[in-house]
Amino acid sequence: MTDLKQLWENSLVEIEPSISRANFATWFKNTFILKEEGGVIYVSAPSGFVKEWLSNKYHKLILKSLRNLSEEVRNVEYVVAPKGGRRGTSLAEDLSENKKNFVIGELPLKDLYNINKEDNLNPKYSFETFVVGPFNETSYAAAQAIIKELGAYNPLFIYGGTGLGKTHLIQAIGNEIKKLDESKKIYYVTSEKFLLDFINSVQQNKISSFKEKYRTFDVLIMDDVQYLAGKSGTQDELHHLINTALEGNKQIIFSSDKHYNYIPELEDRLRSRFGAGMMVDIEEPDLESRIAILRTKAKNRNFSPSDEVIDFIAKSVTGSIRELEGILNSIVCQSQLKNRELSVTEISTLIKNNEKVKRAVTAEDVIKIVSGFYNLSKDIICEKTRKKEIVKPRQVIMYLLREDFSVSYPSIGQKLGGRDHTTVIHSCEKVKNDLKKDSILVQELEQIRALL
Ligand code: ADP
Ligand code: MG
């Protein structure tokens, strides 16, 4: 089974040939992955000096090699090894030491390797780890009905705010069906990927193989269908696909961050197709459910906080399940580093800091900070101009929103004056390529990132 230790070793194998032997030995000795959180890999360096070098000189290389190994890696952060660090030990010793000390940090990353290439399902999303409460019980019941009898509700449309468990639930459905009957062909796809697939197939004259591919599945799971807003060509195709699926008694499952009535620019016939199936929602979890979720997650990580602590977190963090998880992760990591339980006061500070971070990084802030950096007004950035001095900052904004904040291509386009997602993709790729040869741009990005 691959884990953080393995990941780092594999990426060092890639990094080593790209730099001189002396440099490799100097800068990568005694480094290891401390933890992974939400796609961010924390690389630990033995000293502040090495940390600076790694992040200034080798960041691109490190990020690239980690990304090659795991698609879910979003970014890399550098930290100095915790006190009692392992100066002078060998890399292997470091790594095994690391393994001992940070078993918990390892767990999430194992998942990254397990995503099935054929059906895109991630086995970590199972019903075993899915907490059911009043907030999601209708969705859960509908899911169970489908698993029992494919086509029972068709299509099944699950909607709810971000971080409330839509992806987890629809992937768990796929995983469960697969477990019960291996011969079933299941396919999980985000609507963005579906859109790209469709556009590519049109451009390459391969529309019939596109149709063929999507018609072979027994169960098609499409996540975040709200991104198809305004994409009438793709909506047409999806409409045909639903029709064929219904005729062939194949199951389709959708998720969306809002009810289909509130998805703008959605064709009426698609709306009525959605409406003809089953519509269920997931709400924000109530206090009891938040407590149950925290307990389950803590247990999965071999972490046993007191009832008082669980209660305190559940009462203070009232938003999404993703937030609950995030806070719990920080608490687990901090108490690992400190080698003791955190006090309620410490936890309270952690939660407050987390809220600050959240407030600081909205897409609007990124736009404001980057425009400010290039001495431009926010409004000019969104205008439809091709002037070079405006195009570049705009591309930088797109790149940062995508790379550092995982904002989807379509919504980046929307936030920047209603641009097409393809434009956004091109812009991000342009910046990525420029970064390979333009050292000024590299510096600018470093400076901007420091402002965010
Ligand atoms: P969404 O797709 O609605 O944005 P996700 O499915 O990605 O949300 O869920 C966010 C995080 O919360 C995931 O890590 C997921 O495993 C976890 N989660 C969501 N719902 C539950 C649940 N009912 N029980 C346990 N964990 C959950
Ligand atoms: Mg999701």
Side-chain angles (χ1 to χ4, degrees):
M1 177 81 60
T2 319
D3 51 23
L4 288 177
K5 174 187 163 196
Q6 197 64 49
L7 177 69
W8 189 233
E9 275 176 352
N10 289 347
S11 78
L12 290 180
V13 169
E14 279 200 42
I15 290 170
E16 194 176 4
S18 345
I19 60 181
S20 80
R21 196 183 285 187
N23 268 337
F24 181 79
T26 311
W27 304 116
F28 288 88
K29 200 173 64 190
N30 296 335
T31 57
F32 57 89
I33 296 178
L34 181 62
K35 60 178 178 171
E36 182 272 343
E37 252 175 38
V40 179
I41 300 283
Y42 291 80
V43 170
S44 171
S47 69
F49 188 54
V50 173
K51 181 192 130 182
E52 289 307 308
W53 268 89
L54 288 178
S55 76
N56 291 334
K57 303 282 173 193
Y58 294 117
H59 176 70
K60 266 195 293 176
L61 187 62
I62 294 171
L63 183 62
K64 188 168 151 261
S65 77
L66 286 168
R67 282 245 176 93
N68 282 345
L69 293 164
S70 160
E71 282 173 10
E72 284 190 38
V73 172
R74 282 201 299 119
N75 206 352
V76 182
E77 298 270 0
Y78 303 90
V79 291
V80 180
K83 276 211 185 71
R86 293 164 286 280
R87 255 170 220 265
T89 50
S90 74
L91 180 65
E93 275 164 351
D94 264 3
L95 293 167
S96 65
E97 181 83 0
N98 170 27
K99 197 175 160 81
K100 240 188 302 166
N101 284 352
F102 301 103
V103 198
I104 285 178
E106 253 170 39
L107 290 177
L109 214 90
K110 285 186 185 148
D111 311 325
L112 303 186
Y113 287 89
N114 289 341
I115 296 175
N116 185 304
K117 292 261 178 321
E118 248 157 57
D119 55 28
N120 294 329
L121 289 173
N122 185 336
K124 92 165 178 187
Y125 294 122
S126 73
F127 283 112
E128 274 102 73
T129 54
F130 191 74
V131 177
V132 183
F135 71 106
N136 64 3
E137 63 189 352
T138 39
S139 298
Y140 176 78
Q144 294 303 322
I146 282 183
I147 292 165
K148 220 162 141 203
E149 186 195 343
L150 290 186
Y153 302 123
N154 214 359
L156 174 63
F157 191 102
I158 298 173
Y159 69 98
T162 42
L164 295 180
K166 299 181 298 295
T167 300
H168 190 140
L169 179 61
I170 59 181
Q171 288 235 6
I173 301 176
N175 279 319
E176 188 70 17
I177 296 173
K178 187 158 107 175
K179 200 164 91 189
L180 294 172
D181 182 351
E182 266 189 25
S183 70
K184 287 275 181 276
K185 286 193 80 174
I186 301 161
Y187 193 66
Y188 167 89
V189 68
T190 63
S191 73
E192 290 175 279
K193 171 80 176 35
F194 180 76
L195 180 74
L196 281 179
D197 240 21
F198 177 65
I199 293 172
N200 284 337
S201 75
V202 171
Q203 279 169 355
Q204 298 166 10
N205 256 330
K206 286 184 178 155
I207 187 81
S208 57
S209 58
F210 169 88
K211 282 184 198 289
E212 167 109 11
K213 169 179 162 193
Y214 280 94
R215 279 162 184 58
T216 53
F217 305 120
D218 298 306
V219 181
L220 178 66
I221 304 171
M222 191 179 292
D223 209 350
D224 289 323
V225 76
Q226 75 272 4
Y227 290 133
L228 295 186
K231 310 290 178 215
S232 55
T234 314
Q235 287 181 24
D236 272 350
E237 197 46 48
L238 182 60
H239 180 256
H240 293 311
L241 185 56
I242 299 177
N243 282 345
T244 329
L246 293 183
E247 281 161 21
N249 210 13
K250 296 179 169 181
Q251 179 70 52
I252 305 199
I253 302 163
F254 293 106
S255 90
S256 165
D257 70 354
K258 41 177 104 59
H259 189 287
Y260 62 80
N261 275 341
Y262 296 100
I263 302 178
E265 295 179 74
L266 192 67
E267 282 183 24
D268 281 343
R269 53 183 185 155
L270 201 49
R271 236 182 261 279
S272 80
R273 267 295 168 223
F274 290 150
M278 175 76 156
M279 181 78 38
V280 281
D281 73 338
I282 302 184
E283 291 166 36
E284 285 192 356
D286 47 285
L287 179 65
E288 298 292 302
S289 301
R290 293 201 296 276
I291 291 176
I293 289 164
L294 284 167
R295 280 198 201 295
T296 315
K297 304 253 170 222
K299 192 161 162 254
N300 288 344
R301 304 193 63 172
N302 287 328
F303 181 62
S304 37
S306 66
D307 286 352
E308 189 199 2
V309 163
I310 292 268
D311 209 59
F312 181 77
I313 310 172
K315 281 183 179 143
S316 330
V317 185
T318 55
S320 74
I321 297 175
R322 187 170 293 130
E323 273 171 62
L324 277 179
E325 266 188 340
I327 288 291
L328 189 70
N329 275 346
S330 315
I331 295 173
V332 172
C333 287
Q334 290 269 334
S335 32
Q336 285 280 307
L337 289 174
K338 295 192 166 139
N339 210 1
R340 61 169 171 81
E341 267 198 31
L342 300 189
S343 69
V344 167
T345 323
E346 285 171 312
I347 292 176
S348 158
T349 314
L350 248 169
I351 293 174
K352 281 204 196 96
N353 287 342
N354 186 60
E355 276 165 3
K356 257 190 240 148
V357 169
K358 239 179 22 199
R359 266 201 304 276
V361 286
T362 64
E364 278 64 37
D365 287 334
V366 175
I367 298 177
K368 214 169 92 193
I369 285 166
V370 178
S371 335
F373 182 85
Y374 290 104
N375 280 327
L376 294 169
S377 88
K378 229 180 95 196
D379 302 333
I380 286 183
I381 292 275
C382 297
E383 275 172 17
K384 297 221 175 321
T385 168
R386 285 172 189 268
K387 277 192 203 141
K388 211 174 145 215
E389 60 272 26
I390 294 164
V391 171
K392 180 183 152 188
R394 192 193 289 140
Q395 289 175 337
V396 167
I397 294 174
M398 293 178 176
Y399 174 81
L400 283 170
L401 286 175
R402 181 69 204 181
E403 292 295 305
D404 294 8
F405 300 98
S406 302
V407 181
S408 76
Y409 291 122
S411 50
I412 294 175
Q414 274 163 22
K415 290 193 165 72
L416 287 166
R419 291 185 152 74
D420 197 54
H421 80 280
T422 316
T423 314
V424 182
I425 294 174
H426 285 316
S427 305
C428 293
E429 276 166 4
K430 167 104 182 19
V431 174
K432 224 181 246 174
N433 283 330
D434 289 351
L435 281 173
K436 287 183 200 143
K437 43 188 197 247
D438 182 348
S439 61
I440 294 180
L441 182 65
V442 173
Q443 270 175 22
E444 287 176 352
L445 267 162
E446 262 169 29
Q447 287 160 0
I448 292 170
R449 280 187 166 122
L451 296 172
L452 290 172

